[in-house]
Amino acid sequence: SQSKLTIASQPPTVIMMVGLQGAGKTTHAGKLAGLYKKQGKNPLLVACDVYRPAAIKQLEIVGEKLGIPVFTLGDKVSPVKIAKEGLKFAKQKGYDMVFIDTAGRLQIDEELMDELKNIKKKIEPTEILLTIDAMIGQESVNVAETFNNLLDITGVILTKLDGDTRGGAALSIRYVTGKPIKFIGTGEKLDTIEPFHPDRMASRILGMGDVLTLIDKAQAAFDEKPAAELEQKMRQQTFTLDDYLEQLGQIKSMGSLEQLMGMIPGMKPGALKDAKIDEKAMAHTEAIIQAMTMAEREHPEIINASRKRRIAIGSGTSVEEVNKLLKQFEQMKKMMKQFSGMGGKRSPFGKMKIPF
């Protein structure tokens, strides 16, 4: 199950952000504050990094973009004092979430670690979140272990986790620290943060794709009415090649095809990094389905060898391509069957819009 942030029973909830320099801590302090602002919270960002040139300015720029105020006493005051004063200010002004952006480390340095321990002691944070760059691989596990031993962190934000990263680091960090990965940063923009779903990551690592995330992405791209009809068809196993064609037409509105393909079962994330998605192949699929009769589209099982030859000629493709499409369609129907036969659980297609 995925972990959310613990919200303090007595506001404000105090989130202390820690991590190495360059892991994206300042940006992710903003991303998280933005995420909770959307959920109706009233967050305050506190600038406690007095060492890195322009760190305070960076936090102010992030805050400005998100419409979230930043508390700062400049870079001549001790970070412990800034954290204490920031918290006092939040209580006076009624901010119910405080994100403390601490100084990053180039490497683990005892003096700076003592400073973090001091901040922790003075503000008693609800959560201590360690931001880690997924790109540093095995090293990320050592970083997590060290920070956890010194500060007893409550969770991790894993950044720069794109389709190429197999997520092994995520599982190792969880194993070594015993602390949950709570969020993942998946891009540069300030809304590219999502709750971490261990089951999705595990399935992605096992090559099962990331169908649930794909469904979430699809939520925004489809209309309610066709979605309801589609859900009905899935439940009743009456999804046809015509429906498939319609879905294909809508996929393009969901962002980069490369990204989407990385989430589809059987596709290795990153396998398409240098390959452009073959728009031509999509056009072929459309042509093949359009060359079929209504009966064939509704009951592909009637398509025998001579029908396949006729469809291939009619669509300007080959029998091999026709076979491939039919096989893909079969696999998809199997997958849908698994989804819609999930026992008493509420179908994951509650309000869903399927991208296929």
Side-chain angles (χ1 to χ4, degrees):
S1 63
Q2 126 234 347
S3 303
K4 293 188 173 67
L5 293 186
T6 304
I7 300 296
S9 50
Q10 187 67 42
T13 297
V14 181
I15 311 294
M16 181 174 166
M17 307 286 289
V18 300
L20 293 184
Q21 215 166 298
K25 182 167 38 61
T26 300
T27 312
H28 282 78
K31 285 186 185 185
L32 260 190
L35 190 69
Y36 278 86
K37 183 183 178 188
K38 275 187 195 152
Q39 293 172 20
K41 296 283 180 198
N42 184 19
L44 174 71
L45 292 162
V46 178
C48 287
D49 181 354
V50 298
Y51 308 103
R52 183 167 61 94
I56 297 172
K57 186 80 194 125
Q58 186 195 349
L59 192 65
E60 286 176 332
I61 290 167
V62 165
E64 202 177 310
K65 282 184 184 162
L66 292 161
I68 294 169
V70 174
F71 178 89
T72 168
L73 296 174
D75 57 8
K76 303 287 180 279
V77 181
S78 89
V80 180
K81 184 171 164 82
I82 299 169
K84 259 172 56 182
E85 293 296 319
L87 188 51
K88 204 161 102 185
F89 178 80
K91 286 175 179 167
Q92 284 166 354
K93 302 285 182 191
Y95 292 102
D96 54 11
M97 278 189 109
V98 181
F99 291 85
I100 311 272
D101 183 34
T102 64
R105 279 94 189 104
L106 284 169
Q107 65 270 330
I108 309 294
D109 160 325
E110 200 173 328
E111 195 184 334
L112 287 169
M113 285 315 230
D114 283 344
E115 175 185 291
L116 291 181
K117 283 193 224 168
N118 264 331
I119 294 176
K120 177 184 174 178
K121 205 162 91 187
K122 289 286 189 292
I123 61 171
E124 299 179 340
T126 323
E127 293 253 14
I128 300 177
L129 292 183
L130 171 62
T131 304
I132 290 191
D133 177 345
M135 306 285 276
I136 63 174
Q138 187 50 41
E139 182 52 30
S140 63
V141 182
N142 307 336
V143 171
E145 194 170 18
T146 309
F147 270 90
N148 189 44
N149 290 343
L150 285 162
L151 289 167
D152 189 23
I153 61 172
T154 58
V156 174
I157 300 176
L158 208 50
T159 67
K160 302 180 195 168
L161 197 72
D162 56 18
D164 298 58
T165 313
R166 297 297 288 189
L171 297 189
S172 309
I173 289 167
R174 176 78 178 96
Y175 178 73
V176 165
T177 63
K179 302 295 164 66
I181 289 161
K182 297 204 167 194
F183 292 90
I184 53 175
T186 51
E188 301 291 317
K189 294 198 183 104
L190 287 173
D191 58 355
T192 52
I193 186 167
E194 32 187 272
F196 177 68
H197 299 271
D199 48 348
R200 299 185 187 188
M201 179 54 75
S203 72
R204 191 189 281 186
I205 292 167
L206 297 170
M208 285 163 56
D210 199 351
V211 177
L212 297 170
T213 298
L214 198 53
I215 289 166
D216 289 347
K217 272 191 184 299
Q219 292 282 16
F222 292 79
D223 294 339
E224 284 295 333
K225 194 164 171 279
E229 290 165 9
L230 184 58
E231 182 186 355
Q232 196 59 29
K233 288 181 169 171
M234 288 183 57
R235 284 179 192 281
Q236 296 167 356
Q237 301 296 307
T238 56
F239 186 78
T240 69
L241 277 157
D242 256 340
D243 299 317
Y244 184 65
L245 190 59
E246 193 183 319
Q247 295 308 310
L248 208 56
Q250 294 196 4
I251 281 183
K252 293 170 191 171
S253 63
M254 285 173 54
S256 120
L257 278 173
E258 270 100 324
Q259 247 183 347
L260 295 175
M261 296 305 271
M263 297 174 183
I264 292 174
M267 284 298 216
K268 281 199 182 73
L272 297 159
K273 203 164 88 153
D274 303 317
K276 274 281 151 261
I277 294 292
D278 193 351
E279 301 281 346
K280 222 162 59 185
M282 281 181 86
H284 281 190
T285 300
E286 287 174 4
I288 290 169
I289 297 174
Q290 281 158 353
M292 293 177 185
T293 64
M294 285 314 292
E296 287 166 344
R297 291 182 204 189
E298 281 173 25
H299 304 284
E301 63 277 7
I302 66 173
I303 302 177
N304 55 19
S306 65
R307 284 177 187 259
K308 282 176 190 169
R309 277 198 300 276
R310 190 206 80 241
I311 293 165
I313 293 164
S315 58
T317 61
S318 63
V319 170
E320 192 185 22
E321 281 180 275
V322 175
N323 278 331
K324 198 168 151 195
L325 168 66
L326 292 171
K327 194 172 167 197
Q328 278 172 345
F329 183 67
E330 264 324 297
Q331 283 173 333
M332 183 174 307
K333 282 189 76 166
K334 252 188 219 149
M335 194 168 74
M336 290 180 170
K337 196 169 188 173
Q338 283 171 350
F339 271 136
S340 51
M342 282 180 145
K345 289 186 201 167
R346 195 177 68 79
S347 159
F349 300 133
K351 279 195 174 156
M352 99 114 223
K353 298 89 177 163
I354 301 250
F356 312 112

